[in-house]
Amino acid sequence: MKLSVTEQSTGGDLHLLINEKHFDRMFFTRDREHKYLTIAWNRGAMQTVIIDEVAYDFLPDTILPLMVNQSFRFEKPEDIVAWQFNRDFYCIVDHDEEVSCVGFLFYGSSEQVFVQMDETMRFKIQRLLDIFVEEFETTDSIQVDMLRMLLKRLIILVTRLAKAGRAGDPNHSDEKFATIRKFNLMVENNYRQHHTVAYYAEQLNKSPKTLSNVFALYNHKTPLQIIQERLILEAKRLLYYTDKSAKEITYELGFDDAAYFSNFFKKHTSFSPTDFRNNKLLVADGK
């Protein structure tokens, strides 16, 4: 079952998919024009989800946020409940003060986020899902507003649960965690042009050392690792899903020299770009 609504004045789309047997996303080909964020809930047994050719265990009663530019498919899509929406329906960047998920659930680092639910949260999400279905079936003048409000509620619930499990020591300030989120969003928007920690630190009015110390508080990867992993992730996507040459990818990712890019890629993956493409290697195993 797929329930959908489009806001005529903005082109905003919201979809709710339940027990769909052919649910997947192919960003670089079929779905390139449909720029949807996805929130997927596995209501069945553990299954495998493939995200950008990485295999992950998708545990029962787990929420999986997925980005616009990710390609994915599920072992058992009929067990998945998914919400998909575009920025015209609800822009999480513009409304970050409301939901506080940018740079964390979405537009974060290359590390995939899985949010495990307890029984209490499962009950809340199920109850919310039931209300979503009711609202999709109620076609009146306030339907879109009601659905947008429910979507915001869903994002807030998932963000709260994710922060409780991943944000580190509760004594650490929200301000420091906000710095990490801002950094992640900046990297997502600028990684092709800017590869150095110094650039992002300057934009955040921090020294590179101060920025590194903030990341260390949360047992996080270093800022440089975040930048480099984002570059490698995009390089792998382009090598796997497109026909662009290694030279084209070099310049697209902001490198001036193809040989330097090849060495950079091999240092982080153990394969040259050519070998990676020729063997259609899995990016990694997320299990």
Side-chain angles (χ1 to χ4, degrees), residues 151-166:
L151 178 63
K152 182 169 70 173
R153 175 64 175 161
L154 172 67
I155 296 170
I156 290 171
L157 285 173
V158 176
T159 301
R160 283 177 177 171
L161 186 60
K163 282 184 176 179
R166 299 174 65 90

Side-chain angles (χ1 to χ4, degrees), residues 96 102-104 106-110 175-191 194-216 220-230:
D96 189 56
V102 175
F104 178 46
F106 298 104
Y107 303 104
S109 69
S110 58
E175 181 183 355
K176 289 185 172 64
F177 190 63
T179 296
I180 289 177
R181 295 201 301 117
K182 290 176 182 177
F183 174 86
N184 286 337
L185 179 59
M186 288 181 61
V187 170
E188 184 63 29
N189 290 333
N190 297 279
Y191 68 89
H194 300 286
H195 301 171
T196 67
V197 176
Y199 169 80
Y200 299 98
E202 181 179 358
Q203 299 303 307
L204 292 166
N205 294 315
K206 309 282 186 186
S207 71
K209 183 176 181 180
T210 298
L211 192 58
S212 295
N213 289 340
V214 170
F215 274 76
H220 210 288
K221 297 173 182 177
T222 68
L224 183 59
Q225 285 177 310
I226 299 296
I227 298 166
Q228 292 179 340
E229 288 183 3
R230 185 63 187 89

Side-chain angles (χ1 to χ4, degrees), residues 234-255 257-259 261-262 265 272-278 280:
E234 196 65 19
K236 288 175 176 178
R237 286 173 173 168
L238 293 170
L239 288 165
Y240 197 96
Y241 292 116
T242 78
D243 294 327
K244 293 182 178 182
S245 67
K247 187 175 182 179
E248 288 175 306
I249 294 171
T250 295
Y251 298 132
E252 182 168 336
L253 295 181
F255 293 90
D257 182 75
F261 167 70
S262 180
F265 187 87
S272 70
T274 301
D275 288 342
F276 182 89
R277 168 171 278 162
N278 289 343
K280 288 292 185 182

